[in-house]
Amino acid sequence: MTLVASYLDYNATAPVLPEARAAMAEALAMTGNPSSVHGFGRAARRAIDDARAKVAALVGVKPEAVVFTSGGTEANNLALAAHGFERVLVSAIEHDSVLRAAPEAQRIPVNADGVVNLQALDDALAAGGKALVSVMLANNEAGVIQPVAKAAAIAHRYGAALHCDAVQAAGKIEIDMGALGADMLTLSAHKLGGPSGVGALILRDGVALNPALLGGGQESWRRAGTENLAGIVGFGVAADIAARDLEKAPALAGLRDEIERRVLVVAPDAPIYGKAAPRLVNTSCIGMPGVKGETQVMAFDLAGIAVSAGAACSSGKVTPSAVLQAMGASKELAGQAIRVSLGRGNGPGDVARFAAVWKDLYDRARRLKQAA
Ligand code: PLP
């Protein structure tokens, strides 16, 4: 296996925090089923209650609002199947776990900076029918932060409900579910230093789910199945640390800006998607004119740098980013972008290494083009 010297793919998954790992090891050593009434079961239940309180605190809600799931995908699927809606409206840049959970949904366009068009949302809602709207808080590819509070206010004016996929925003920007006005909110542990395979759907009082899993009464009858105790405990610890360390997140902007500055020195025409909009400080989506994203990813990988391109499906095949196309990029341009996403483990050395490889690749592509 290649030794990865620079991990710049935190939006794909973040390293599990040592504190989360240690807590999970302890939880794995516990025996009780949280539904059992004996002491072993009660200890497991307490561990889950403790994690629930921590996850709730991260987004400013009461613990009862949290429904633990197997991750962001399940939470999004659950939200989109909620009870009592005649139609679904989603922003055009949602994650596939929203888009594919509601294939019939009307897509609300975004502008060239990747920000959802609120007038288009308003117009779509005015057509009537009890609607569920889904707008993510921050996009996973370009990092663009969406005006969710405004979208929620518009939705509520029409009696609609709003679901917000906050998977990429959690741990990077402050989230107050009440201030956002979201009726449902999705989180995923592995994007903020917890393990993969666990997440949560957070519900405002009165939202009625259509449970996808039926069986026992876990999660107050909203999600059956014996709880993923170790995963939930790891999630709780990661959420707690994410809340505590939130103030450190802006420091990443310096590294991200330096990456973009160096890229633009080499190639002033390189598109940086969403640069003009409010963005997550850790994310940069950069196009290299004339070079396919997957070629770049492989070249970076050979140099020990982990970045990503487009939407990789399970076959490993990369398709030109639908998000960038929704932002107006041609299929060709959308296929030439890579995403750099930083996290707590990165420093100036990673920036220098990335910039050197980027320049090398770009120069090589230009020489090849000139020779052709
Ligand atoms: N939503 C967004 C915006 C994501 O980036 C992801 C993961 O890439 C998900 C949902 C899915 O979360 P999970 O991997 O926990 O299923």
Side-chain angles (χ1 to χ4, degrees):
M1 203 189 97
T2 325
L3 177 68
V4 175
S6 286
Y7 185 76
L8 309 180
D9 204 12
Y10 276 72
N11 287 12
T13 196
V16 179
L17 292 166
E19 296 90 333
R21 228 182 297 153
M24 289 175 75
E26 259 181 55
L28 281 172
M30 293 172 80
T31 295
N33 183 322
S35 296
S36 298
V37 293
H38 48 61
F40 293 86
R42 289 200 307 276
R45 166 67 48 208
R46 271 197 303 278
I48 288 184
D49 287 347
D50 178 57
R52 195 185 303 283
K54 288 172 171 154
V55 170
L58 179 66
V59 294
V61 298
K62 288 193 248 155
E64 311 83 80
V66 177
V67 180
F68 285 118
T69 65
S70 66
T73 297
E74 185 191 329
N76 280 345
N77 276 233
L78 206 49
L80 272 288
H83 202 66
F85 299 102
E86 293 159 28
R87 52 194 295 243
V88 180
L89 312 176
V90 301
S91 92
I93 54 163
E94 293 300 310
H95 188 261
D96 270 349
S97 54
V98 166
L99 295 179
R100 301 191 70 185
E104 75 298 346
Q106 183 174 345
R107 301 221 181 158
I108 308 300
V110 298
N111 67 18
D113 295 322
V115 180
V116 68
N117 182 332
L118 292 174
Q119 188 55 53
L121 174 64
D122 200 315
D123 293 345
L125 285 165
K130 188 160 172 52
L132 173 62
V133 177
S134 188
V135 177
M136 68 201 324
L137 188 47
N139 178 259
N140 42 305
E141 290 185 40
V144 175
I145 297 170
Q146 302 298 319
V148 171
K150 287 184 181 155
I154 294 169
H156 293 158
R157 211 178 321 124
Y158 289 98
L162 183 123
H163 163 252
C164 176
D165 175 349
V167 164
Q168 290 293 346
K172 297 170 189 155
I173 56 174
E174 196 178 341
I175 301 175
D176 177 337
M177 187 167 166
L180 278 180
D183 300 283
M184 295 183 271
L185 186 116
T186 293
L187 298 175
S188 172
H190 73 104
K191 310 289 186 179
L192 46 79
S196 52
V198 58
L201 183 64
I202 320 280
L203 298 176
R204 188 185 52 74
D205 264 1
V207 175
L209 289 184
N210 253 328
L213 299 181
L214 304 174
Q218 291 91 351
E219 299 301 291
S220 303
W221 296 99
R222 297 173 295 191
R223 204 274 186 181
T226 301
E227 297 88 340
N228 172 4
L229 177 63
I232 289 171
V233 165
F235 187 10
V237 171
D240 200 33
I241 293 175
R244 189 193 71 198
D245 287 355
L246 211 50
E247 64 200 37
K248 294 186 189 158
L252 291 176
L255 300 179
R256 194 269 315 267
D257 292 348
E258 182 58 12
I259 282 181
E260 295 182 352
R261 193 189 67 76
R262 294 201 196 186
V263 161
L264 291 174
V265 166
V266 175
D269 61 335
I272 295 180
Y273 296 96
K275 196 169 164 57
R279 274 185 305 165
L280 295 176
V281 294
N282 80 315
T283 307
S284 185
C285 186
I286 305 168
M288 185 184 288
V291 185
K292 279 193 175 157
E294 57 209 274
T295 308
Q296 297 179 54
V297 170
M298 283 188 279
F300 276 109
D301 185 40
L302 283 174
I305 298 171
V307 294
S308 71
C313 66
S314 52
S315 68
K317 214 165 161 265
V318 177
T319 50
S321 161
V323 169
L324 301 185
Q325 290 183 72
M327 290 166 67
S330 66
K331 206 169 178 178
E332 191 189 6
L333 272 180
Q336 296 174 348
I338 57 162
R339 176 187 68 191
V340 179
S341 52
L342 308 170
R344 62 175 68 224
N346 296 130
D350 298 307
V351 172
R353 219 170 289 132
F354 174 88
V357 176
W358 202 94
K359 179 176 185 322
D360 205 42
L361 256 172
Y362 180 77
D363 288 345
R364 210 178 329 148
R366 275 184 46 146
R367 279 198 303 274
L368 279 173
K369 200 173 162 204
Q370 277 159 5

